[in-house]
Amino acid sequence: MSSLVRNFQEYSEWRKGVARALQDYRAWISGSDLADQATDQRLSRLSERLVDDKLSIAFVAEFSRGKSELINAIFFADYGQRILPSSAGRTTMCPTELMYDETVPPCIRLLPIETRAEAQSTSEYKGQNHVWKVLPLDVQSGDGMLDAFRQVSLTKKVSVDVAKQYGLFDEQDPDAALEVDENGLVEISQWRHAVVNFPHPLLKEGLIIVDTPGLNAIGTEPELTLNLIPNAHAVLFILAADTGVTKSDIDVWRNHIGNGLGRLVVLNKIDSMWDELRTKEEVDGQLKRQVETVAHTLGLEEKQVFPVSAQKGLVAKINKDAPLLARSRLPALEHALSKELIPAKQDIIRGQLTSEVNEIVGTQQAMLASRSRNVIEQMLELKSLRGKNMNVIEHMMKRVDAEKKEFDASLIRMQGTRSVFTRLSTEVFTTLGMDILREEVRQTREAMEKSRTSLGLLDAVKQFFSRARANLIQSNKKTDEISEMMGVMYRKFSTEHGLALSAPMSFSLDKYVEELDAIELVFQKQFNIVTILPQTRTTLMHKFFDSIAARIKQNFLQANKDVEAWQKVVMAPLEAQIREHKLQLKNRMQSIQRIHVATDSLEDKIASFESIQAELDAQKQKMSELETQLRTALAADLNPMRVAA
């Protein structure tokens, strides 16, 4: 088993351990009268985040660089044969995602290329099952799976005009004429996109493998440029060891991949440089020089460039040939992926969960502390009544009654703040709501249709980004107002009534503004000219805007969900403390009233409160144990010996 497979399985076990600890904590607070609806929803969302967590690896290369063979070697060698087709020429003609959804039987879903003529992105089509062609996948038959996977490489011949309509033929390209056969037809992929639902152990645990067509598809398929590649946690950029970096490689690297976290370069087919007439040292020296050149050209550190032979690595794994596997250098690449990719992903998820867990646990601890403090205060009050006459008891009743009236007056004043909260909460969605975004998309498409120049097209998209950004910023200002107002309210109740309240949960839409900026940057790189565009480029710009609109809709939709969730929970700690304080004031009054009627019940009440305090102490102890269990699960690292192996 490779270090990548092993460490991914350990990462999956880590997620399951955290999920179990979350479930134990959630079940206990629900059974201890400590949970409210908002807290339960937050814990439920955290559990869902762990279950839905995905880790994607994109493989990007020009055709005939051995990309599919590398995927076979890393992930599918245990099947004893190739699963993805791998041969000379192009075998992957459309973007292909390999994943697993247990609610769907194993299959290959294929989106017809004809959908490129419509104003919808691939992402939007994913929810329209009737559009896709679905082929069953016989996972018990290696040959059957191989035949099914060959569907991805199918092509068809269409006229030049149809290819232009799809944005797949650029007449300005000096090599375009070479694509037209003697009948005036152009060969294109039969499919626009493929999704393979395959019960591979790693795919079951949340891994997604993205197999891309040749580099020329990077610029023509918006789904790759705007979604699959930018969102991948790791991108393996595959070059040929004998040729190194070509001009098209450099363009794709600079415009679509770049040097960032999880970006690795693979120099494949090093076996082509194995030469019986040269010593091993000479071959190694040649490879070292090639690595240095590639690293310098792409602006990388040499440790980010991995010379391998995917074909020999696959053969070695199938035949259990350890010397050949070592010579293929495939284990070094797998180790780098396992060491850099998986722990980095774990740190991201851990950071997100830890922040939320801290807030949830803090709220529950404050609730228990408030209950304990009130019980102690009531015990002290009752003990102070020992030997007192009725006048003292009546005086104490009046004091508690005054406290209650003062608290009730604060609640009445808070209603005004609640009205402001409701108004601001509504105003957030006047600029963030999906209806206004849909209208912006419609107006932009209309402006693009009317435009006769490339400048007009570019300006229409530019104005769309500008308006979308302004709407996000305006909504962000409203959430800032809500946060400030809630902070004042929290401090007021803490000061005036001694409630144990920390600062309210913070929130910002900044990350959605940053994502919008990133999407616009991708568009600018793709269309960084202001001269007259040929028809094919104009068609492509429309396709890109369709994908941009879909991507930004997802961005806004998630922002809406996050704002709604925040609005539900930002008041929750205060409301919980208010309910608790009202209940304690009521209990104090009832206790003193009963003592007023029957002084002989005083000792019984004191004993009762002492019993309640003992229960609260036990709850604190149990909460502390569950909190420790949860934090231990979150803090756990992957096996350090295996990561370093």
Side-chain angles (χ1 to χ4, degrees):
M1 183 186 296
S2 71
S3 60
L4 175 61
V5 172
R6 186 168 54 239
N7 279 284
F8 193 84
Q9 290 174 340
E10 290 176 355
Y11 172 68
S12 177
E13 287 302 314
W14 173 79
R15 286 186 307 165
K16 292 176 182 177
V18 175
R20 287 191 295 270
L22 269 175
Q23 184 57 39
D24 290 344
Y25 183 83
R26 182 183 179 188
W28 182 79
I29 64 171
S30 295
S32 302
D33 193 28
L34 285 168
D36 52 32
Q37 186 176 5
T39 300
D40 193 65
Q41 287 177 349
R42 293 179 73 180
L43 288 169
S44 177
R45 282 196 302 272
L46 291 183
S47 297
E48 290 171 2
R49 187 180 301 172
L50 283 166
V51 172
D52 296 337
D53 176 47
K54 304 295 183 185
L55 191 151
S56 63
I57 302 178
F59 290 74
V60 180
E62 187 57 278
F63 64 87
S64 295
R65 298 286 171 81
K67 174 173 47 61
S68 296
E69 190 80 325
L70 184 61
I71 296 174
N72 282 323
I74 294 176
F75 298 106
F76 300 124
D78 289 344
Y79 286 86
Q81 67 176 74
R82 292 182 176 92
I83 296 300
L84 296 184
S86 178
S87 59
R90 302 182 65 173
T91 55
T92 303
M93 293 297 296
C94 68
T96 303
E97 295 178 80
L98 288 82
M99 60 180 65
Y100 184 65
D101 180 354
E102 64 180 7
T103 65
V104 179
C107 64
I108 297 181
R109 301 173 68 220
L110 299 160
L111 184 64
I113 195 67
E114 287 77 11
T115 58
R116 283 184 67 98
E118 305 297 328
Q120 290 192 66
S121 70
T122 302
S123 296
E124 290 174 307
Y125 276 118
K126 284 185 176 179
Q128 303 176 30
N129 293 333
H130 65 282
V131 180
W132 297 71
K133 180 177 180 179
V134 181
L135 301 176
L137 192 61
D138 183 3
V139 299
Q140 303 301 321
S141 169
D143 292 335
M145 285 194 293
L146 187 59
D147 288 339
F149 274 103
R150 286 197 178 103
Q151 286 286 329
V152 176
S153 62
L154 295 182
T155 62
K156 65 192 304 182
K157 296 287 189 77
V158 298
S159 67
V160 170
D161 287 339
V162 170
K164 286 180 180 179
Q165 182 186 10
Y166 296 162
L168 297 176
F169 185 83
D170 185 359
E171 55 195 351
Q172 300 297 311
D173 186 342
D175 297 326
L178 301 176
E179 300 177 21
V180 184
D181 67 11
E182 65 275 10
N183 298 317
L185 300 178
V186 179
E187 185 178 32
I188 64 172
S189 171
Q190 187 167 323
W191 311 108
R192 180 179 180 181
H193 198 86
V195 178
V196 181
N197 192 53
F198 180 51
H200 183 278
L202 291 185
L203 302 184
K204 284 183 176 182
E205 301 295 349
L207 178 68
I208 297 176
I209 301 170
V210 180
D211 187 10
T212 66
L215 299 183
N216 62 323
I218 301 296
T220 58
E221 180 47 66
E223 185 71 12
L224 287 173
T225 309
L226 293 166
N227 190 7
L228 294 179
I229 292 176
N231 290 338
H233 300 98
V235 177
L236 268 62
F237 191 48
I238 304 157
L239 309 174
D242 53 352
T243 60
V245 187
T246 65
K247 183 180 182 301
S248 61
D249 291 329
I250 294 174
D251 290 340
V252 170
W253 177 264
R254 290 175 178 171
N255 294 326
H256 302 297
I257 300 176
N259 184 15
L261 293 175
R263 269 51 180 165
L264 303 176
V265 172
V266 178
L267 279 176
N268 195 21
K269 301 188 178 182
I270 61 172
D271 53 296
S272 66
M273 302 174 69
W274 296 350
D275 189 340
E276 294 180 359
L277 299 180
R278 285 183 291 184
T279 65
K280 179 180 182 300
E281 289 73 21
E282 288 175 327
V283 172
D284 289 346
Q286 188 177 2
L287 277 175
K288 186 176 186 302
R289 289 190 294 274
Q290 189 72 296
V291 168
E292 292 171 351
T293 301
V294 169
H296 176 74
T297 303
L298 298 181
L300 294 169
E301 296 182 38
E302 291 180 25
K303 66 180 182 179
Q304 291 177 269
V305 182
F306 294 86
V308 305
S309 171
Q311 191 268 338
K312 299 304 181 187
L314 176 62
V315 171
K317 285 186 175 182
I318 291 175
N319 294 332
K320 305 292 191 294
D321 187 339
L324 182 60
L325 181 61
R327 196 177 181 197
S328 75
R329 301 197 185 190
L330 187 64
L333 173 62
E334 294 175 331
H335 170 63
L337 280 172
S338 65
K339 186 178 72 173
E340 296 182 18
L341 172 63
I342 298 175
K345 176 64 171 173
Q346 183 188 35
D347 287 343
I348 292 172
I349 295 296
R350 179 192 286 129
Q352 293 172 344
L353 294 176
T354 299
S355 177
E356 289 244 25
V357 165
N358 286 342
E359 291 181 355
I360 293 171
V361 169
T363 298
Q364 305 309 311
Q365 288 175 335
M367 179 76 73
L368 268 181
S370 175
R371 289 183 182 179
S372 181
R373 186 180 62 251
N374 282 311
V375 168
I376 291 172
E377 288 176 355
Q378 289 187 66
M379 278 198 300
L380 291 175
E381 280 184 340
L382 292 177
K383 288 178 180 179
S384 70
L385 295 179
R386 285 170 169 157
K388 303 295 183 182
N389 58 34
M390 289 300 177
N391 290 334
V392 173
I393 296 176
E394 289 175 358
H395 174 74
M396 189 170 290
M397 288 174 59
K398 290 178 181 179
R399 191 181 71 185
V400 175
D401 187 57
E403 282 186 41
K404 182 177 181 305
K405 287 179 179 178
E406 182 182 350
F407 190 68
D408 289 342
S410 294
L411 295 181
I412 293 173
R413 290 193 297 271
M414 193 181 82
Q415 294 305 315
T417 307
R418 280 180 177 275
S419 299
V420 177
F421 175 84
T422 302
R423 175 177 60 79
L424 290 175
S425 297
T426 302
E427 290 178 358
V428 169
F429 296 102
T430 58
T431 47
L432 190 65
M434 299 306 295
D435 288 341
I436 190 171
L437 180 62
R438 293 188 190 98
E439 179 59 21
E440 296 285 5
V441 171
R442 187 195 66 77
Q443 290 180 8
T444 303
R445 283 198 175 117
E446 192 174 272
M448 293 178 71
E449 292 292 338
K450 291 179 180 179
S451 178
R452 302 298 180 189
T453 66
S454 58
L455 267 175
L457 287 169
L458 289 167
D459 186 63
V461 180
K462 180 180 178 181
Q463 291 300 319
F464 171 75
F465 277 111
S466 179
R467 292 192 297 268
R469 183 178 296 102
N471 286 337
L472 276 173
I473 291 173
Q474 183 61 29
S475 294
N476 209 14
K477 289 180 180 177
K478 294 298 181 182
T479 61
D480 287 344
E481 287 185 48
I482 294 173
S483 293
E484 185 177 349
M485 181 188 68
M486 292 304 301
V488 171
M489 190 187 303
Y490 271 54
R491 289 191 295 272
K492 183 180 179 66
F493 273 85
S494 294
T495 303
E496 294 183 357
H497 303 290
L499 303 189
L501 290 166
S502 56
M505 178 182 175
S506 59
F507 183 81
S508 173
L509 290 169
D510 287 347
K511 67 178 181 180
Y512 299 103
V513 177
E514 292 169 1
E515 183 172 349
L516 188 71
D517 292 341
I519 297 170
E520 183 174 19
L521 182 61
V522 171
F523 179 79
Q524 289 173 346
K525 286 182 178 179
Q526 188 70 28
F527 300 97
N528 57 357
I529 57 174
V530 293
T531 56
I532 296 176
L533 292 172
Q535 179 187 352
T536 304
R537 295 291 288 171
T538 299
T539 301
L540 187 57
M541 187 182 290
H542 280 273
K543 295 299 169 198
F544 261 80
F545 179 72
D546 293 338
S547 289
I548 285 169
R551 175 81 179 273
I552 294 178
K553 282 179 183 176
Q554 293 175 353
N555 189 31
F556 268 62
L557 185 61
Q558 189 58 52
N560 274 264
K561 290 180 179 178
D562 285 353
V563 170
E564 289 175 359
W566 173 68
Q567 289 178 348
K568 288 178 181 177
V569 303
V570 70
M571 292 277 288
L574 177 60
E575 291 175 335
Q577 290 278 356
I578 286 173
R579 286 194 303 270
E580 190 69 23
H581 195 67
K582 287 177 67 176
L583 178 62
Q584 295 302 333
L585 284 173
K586 178 182 177 183
N587 289 341
R588 284 173 62 192
M589 177 62 76
Q590 290 176 343
S591 295
I592 298 172
Q593 285 175 339
R594 282 194 287 268
I595 300 302
H596 184 264
V597 174
T599 55
D600 57 349
S601 67
L602 177 59
E603 296 302 325
D604 292 337
K605 289 300 297 179
I606 292 174
S608 174
F609 277 113
E610 288 174 341
S611 175
I612 293 173
Q613 181 58 39
E615 292 177 7
L616 288 172
D617 289 340
Q619 285 186 327
K620 287 180 182 178
Q621 178 62 32
K622 183 62 176 179
M623 176 178 282
S624 178
E625 292 173 2
L626 289 170
E627 178 193 349
T628 299
Q629 175 183 321
L630 182 52
R631 294 191 187 282
T632 300
L634 277 169
D637 285 318
L638 305 180
N639 190 319
M641 294 301 293
R642 290 185 176 178
V643 173

